[in-house]
Amino acid sequence: MIRTFARATLAATTLFALAAPAFAHATLEVQEAAIGSGFKAVLRVPHGCGTEATHTVRIQIPEGFFSVKPMPKAGWDLETVTGPYQNTYLNHGTEVAEGVKEIVWSNGNLPNEWYDEFVFRGTFADTLEPGKFYFPAIQECANGEEAWIDTDETGDMPAPSLTLVPAASGAGH
């Protein structure tokens, strides 16, 4: 009986230790999307900078994710930085050559003890390849920042990401 309890405790401790880093990072709620599809991204911000509250959240929009629209949040200012894309994309038959390159929610207050979600939507280009797709994000606080911008799997500050998969045949709109 004691041996069984010890094994269960060890298993639970190991599981928590492995899972804890995933909760400590800024992540996307949905971890997979189809190439060429529309996507609603929900960025989860799990804590502040150390013990400080977050007052600004910035999300960089990578090439290949276009027609981006952020969702306003009560208590936060919202702005977008726009510019030309490297490629043009078709949005309902119309060529799109520029759009949102960064989303900024600012003048908010996310205490370290709470978490929050920041929502935006857009479309993945049908020219993208299957694999990881990153949305670098930066939290700004009174005396520092948490820059979730690493786009390799070994980085200490991994950018929120998802896996792009081929579209199902016959999909689209």
Side-chain angles (χ1 to χ4, degrees):
M1 179 77 166
I2 292 174
R3 195 176 252 171
T4 301
F5 180 74
R7 285 184 185 151
T9 301
L10 178 61
T13 301
T14 302
L15 179 63
F16 179 76
L18 293 173
F23 295 120
H25 304 308
T27 58
L28 295 175
E29 180 180 61
V30 175
Q31 296 289 302
E32 186 175 287
I35 294 170
S37 69
F39 182 73
K40 174 185 164 189
V42 178
L43 175 73
R44 293 179 175 160
V45 176
H47 55 72
C49 311
T51 58
E52 293 183 336
T54 298
H55 60 68
T56 300
V57 174
R58 299 176 175 273
I59 298 178
Q60 298 168 8
I61 305 300
E63 182 72 21
F65 192 67
F66 64 99
S67 295
V68 173
K69 292 185 177 183
M71 179 183 284
K73 287 184 67 67
W76 295 73
D77 294 337
L78 174 62
E79 66 180 285
T80 57
V81 177
T82 60
Y85 296 137
Q86 293 174 359
N87 301 300
T88 57
Y89 305 102
L90 281 179
N91 183 24
H92 301 282
T94 302
E95 282 195 359
V96 178
E98 64 180 46
V100 175
K101 310 271 291 193
E102 184 177 42
I103 303 168
V104 182
W105 288 271
S106 61
N107 295 318
N109 182 30
L110 173 57
N112 181 54
E113 295 79 15
W114 299 354
Y115 92 99
D116 206 344
E117 297 177 337
F118 298 82
V119 179
F120 58 102
R121 63 168 298 280
T123 301
F124 288 107
D126 59 6
T127 55
L128 293 170
E129 297 291 324
K132 285 286 191 179
F133 193 90
Y134 296 91
F135 290 95
I138 298 173
Q139 293 173 246
E140 295 178 6
C141 303
N143 295 301
E145 68 177 27
E146 297 285 345
W148 307 103
I149 58 173
D150 292 338
T151 56
D152 65 54
E153 297 299 317
T154 60
D156 290 338
M157 301 293 288
S161 66
L162 54 80
T163 301
L164 287 176
V165 298
S169 63
H173 88 190

